Amino acid sequence: MTATVASHRKPRQHPLASLTGGGSRSARTARTAATLALAGAAPTFGLAQAAAAPSPPDFDAAGHAAHRLTPAQVKNRVDALYQEAEVATQSYNGAKDSADTAREELSRLQDEAARRTGKLNAARAELGAMAAGQYRSGGIDPTVRLLLSADPQRYLDGAAVLERTGSHQATAVAGYARRLGSVRQVRQRAEDTVERLADTEAQLKKHRVTVVHKLDAAEQLLSRLTAEQRQRMTARDGARSGPGQGRTGQEDGHGDGHGGGTLSRLPGAVGAAAAQAPNPRAARAVSFAYSALGKPYVWGATGPAGYDCSGLTQAAWKAGGVALPRTTYTQISSGPRVARSQLAPGDLVFFYSGISHVGIYVGDGRMIHAPHPGAPVRIAPIDQMPFAAATRPA
């Protein structure tokens, strides 16, 4: 009889720790382990590391070096880079969501494999006890034992018991075989999940590098402008948000850094928007969005310190009691579509043909959104970007 299979769960130092090793799958397992080891450090991969990625020089359509671009041309190129970064951010968010799901599934499969292995070991111990009993009985052929028996009838009575015992042994063997197959099946599913997680982690790394590269390129372009030019550019962005609505409380010295100054310049704005919301859930989402004014844009973030665009909408509707998916291209399917002329506070408004940006409508043609790095959560007109569609979360 072979040695008992370990049924306890090993410390989760790595998803592969208790599931892979040996056999014909060793080469693939080694590759998977290497991939996961590399991807495991990915969550700490930040701007400093990714900035080392090669960045091609920026040129305008005529091929002139970027430092010769006018401030308006720089702004157009920076806006384009921010939009490209947001596309990659949504891909990153989707991959991260898938990776989180795979990790949860892997943990569940590891627990299930441990439980089933424990039952397998118990069945194996039972078979071992049976085998030991048979060995002690001498294993003599029943016909010979009958001939040698001093009391054949007593032996025949005992033989009936032995026959029933044999039937029990056959049942035990069959049960062990079923449990062994069950353990192998769960371990196969877990190994498949490990490989899927490795693929997803690789996608995460790719999208992360793309985002950081785009943002780094935008920052390099902005660095070519003077402080005055950058200030004018920021002022123009704020002006498009409406009077007093593009700045945070921190900027005017009248807020707490969370939009307090902005709200003080919009008396009754929260109450008015909430009152126009189609239901209490939407009203709570709108109130949350107002409370987030002034918080920084942080790509890949869902709060509470900072948000990207879909992270803000997800957090706002979570406050309203509705669980939205993570990305813009999944949030758009979170409820019925709403015509632009029928928008109500709380509706999600989406922009660009690729559905790469989202905000929360607050009425009067305006939304609250997390624009891009360097631009905090703010109020802006919905015609500031190419409108794509709107959804009312259910």
Side-chain angles (χ1 to χ4, degrees):
M1 195 66 66
T2 56
T4 299
V5 178
S7 62
H8 65 281
R9 292 199 59 181
K10 297 181 180 179
R12 293 181 183 171
Q13 297 177 346
H14 196 280
L16 289 168
S18 61
L19 293 170
T20 59
S24 61
R25 312 178 69 89
S26 59
R28 181 175 59 180
T29 298
R31 289 192 298 271
T32 303
T35 302
L36 281 177
L38 176 62
T44 61
F45 189 102
L47 292 175
Q49 294 96 323
S55 177
D58 294 283
F59 292 89
D60 62 11
H64 297 104
H67 67 274
R68 297 181 182 177
L69 297 178
T70 66
Q73 290 172 324
V74 168
K75 185 185 185 320
N76 289 338
R77 179 57 183 147
V78 166
D79 287 346
L81 285 167
Y82 281 151
Q83 202 271 321
E84 292 166 7
E86 193 138 49
V87 171
T89 296
Q90 295 307 312
S91 296
Y92 169 88
N93 291 339
K96 185 176 184 300
D97 201 42
S98 297
D100 291 343
T101 299
R103 289 190 192 96
E104 291 175 3
E105 181 181 356
L106 179 58
S107 178
R108 180 183 61 80
L109 289 171
Q110 287 175 323
D111 288 337
E112 186 176 351
R115 287 193 301 270
R116 295 193 183 191
T117 300
K119 293 180 180 180
L120 177 67
N121 287 335
R124 177 177 292 172
E126 181 182 0
L127 288 177
M130 289 181 181
Q134 287 182 345
Y135 177 79
R136 285 192 298 269
S137 69
I140 302 175
D141 183 85
T143 304
V144 177
R145 295 182 64 185
L146 178 61
L147 291 173
L148 296 176
S149 176
D151 187 349
Q153 185 58 49
R154 183 178 178 183
Y155 174 78
L156 289 174
D157 292 340
V161 176
L162 289 174
E163 183 179 354
R164 288 195 295 273
T165 302
S167 177
H168 175 67
Q169 180 175 340
T171 300
V173 171
Y176 176 81
R178 286 194 303 272
R179 288 189 175 92
L180 180 60
S182 176
V183 168
R184 287 174 175 170
Q185 183 181 43
V186 172
R187 288 181 174 179
Q188 178 61 58
R189 287 162 53 197
E191 186 172 330
D192 292 342
T193 302
V194 167
E195 293 181 359
R196 188 172 77 250
L197 178 58
D199 291 340
T200 306
E201 292 282 13
Q203 294 176 31
L204 269 177
K205 181 180 179 182
K206 180 188 71 174
H207 295 314
R208 181 183 290 107
V209 169
T210 300
V211 171
V212 175
H213 172 73
K214 297 293 184 182
L215 297 181
D216 183 60
E219 185 59 34
Q220 287 183 30
L221 280 171
L222 289 172
S223 69
R224 301 176 188 276
L225 301 178
T226 65
E228 182 181 356
Q229 288 172 329
R230 293 187 68 162
Q231 187 175 6
R232 284 202 300 266
M233 183 181 296
T234 302
R236 284 196 297 272
D237 280 342
R240 288 190 296 173
S241 299
Q245 296 172 19
R247 299 169 61 198
T248 70
Q250 283 181 321
E251 289 172 323
D252 63 8
H254 298 291
D256 58 4
H258 297 282
T262 300
L263 295 183
S264 69
R265 296 193 296 274
L266 299 171
V270 182
Q276 297 171 19
N279 55 62
R281 296 187 302 275
R284 290 194 293 272
V286 167
S287 295
F288 182 95
Y290 270 101
S291 73
L293 286 172
K295 290 193 174 182
Y297 176 98
V298 179
W299 72 270
T302 57
Y307 302 91
D308 64 19
C309 68
S310 58
L312 173 63
T313 52
Q314 184 185 52
W317 270 96
K318 181 179 180 180
V322 177
L324 292 183
R326 178 64 181 91
T327 65
T328 54
Y329 48 82
T330 51
Q331 288 183 5
I332 197 171
S333 301
S334 61
R337 297 292 177 88
V338 180
R340 184 167 179 169
S341 60
Q342 300 299 315
L343 287 173
D347 291 346
L348 302 180
V349 283
F350 299 88
F351 303 90
Y352 301 103
S353 59
I355 315 298
S356 59
H357 191 77
V358 62
I360 298 178
Y361 189 71
V362 293
D364 297 326
R366 300 173 303 163
M367 65 176 172
I368 293 176
H369 73 139
H372 54 72
V377 176
R378 60 174 57 166
I379 300 174
I382 63 173
D383 60 6
Q384 191 177 81
M385 292 174 285
F387 182 87
T391 294
R392 184 165 296 162

